[in-house]
Amino acid sequence: NAMASLPPYSLSRGVVACSAGNHAQGVALSANMLGCRAVICMPLATPSIKVNAVRAHGGETVEVRLVGNNYDEAAAEARRLQYEEGLAMIHPFDDGDVIAGQGTIAIEILKKCVSQPVDAIFVCCGGGGMLAGIAAYVKQVRPSVKV
């Protein structure tokens, strides 16, 4: 959602993201589909299965940079690239468009449960973007459901 909302000039310059997991894979896939360059900064300790998934989803449009001992150090490299190379930052949890896109997961969940009562939806929480997106949608359409 965030990348699809970027103006053409931003896509032509490319994007940068920091993530050790699912967000990185989503940005990589989006970059591949949109045909734009993406640099994904991941901590050095990121499991190889995650790194390989990012590379597979992104193909030739994506460069993975393993940098830093933790998320904060990898994020610092992403911010450096944002400012020095003019890449658009696709933040994993501090971006309204990213949160709105992640909220579409709730649409899928509720569509699957349309004829069934739903008391609660449990959401894994890293940075909180997916949780925020799902909760925002669910509370608008089914406020009694606990998230």
Side-chain angles (χ1 to χ4, degrees):
N1 191 50
M3 289 178 64
S5 300
L6 288 175
Y9 69 86
S10 291
L11 286 175
S12 69
R13 294 188 82 155
V15 301
V16 63
C18 178
S19 168
N22 297 331
H23 179 71
Q25 292 176 54
V27 171
L29 179 63
S30 296
N32 194 350
M33 294 175 71
L34 294 168
C36 81
R37 172 183 178 231
V39 179
I40 311 292
C41 299
M42 304 177 88
L44 290 166
T46 303
S48 61
I49 193 167
K50 295 284 190 176
V51 175
N52 292 337
V54 170
R55 289 182 174 135
H57 287 307
E60 294 186 18
T61 63
V62 173
E63 174 190 349
V64 174
R65 290 194 187 176
L66 297 174
V67 60
N69 293 316
N70 54 47
Y71 174 85
D72 290 341
E73 290 177 8
E77 172 67 4
R79 283 190 303 277
R80 184 189 70 76
L81 293 168
Q82 175 187 12
Y83 294 114
E84 289 183 10
E85 296 188 22
L87 302 177
M89 176 66 77
I90 308 298
H91 198 281
F93 54 84
D94 193 16
D95 182 302
D97 288 331
V98 170
I99 291 170
Q102 292 169 336
T104 63
I105 296 167
I107 297 170
E108 295 177 37
I109 292 169
L110 293 178
K111 279 185 178 178
K112 292 275 186 189
C113 302
V114 73
S115 62
Q116 305 169 41
V118 177
D119 296 320
I121 296 173
F122 293 87
V123 183
C124 294
C125 184
M130 186 177 356
L131 174 61
I134 290 172
Y137 181 81
V138 169
K139 290 302 179 177
Q140 284 295 311
V141 299
R142 306 248 322 246
S144 65
V145 174
K146 293 180 183 177
V147 180

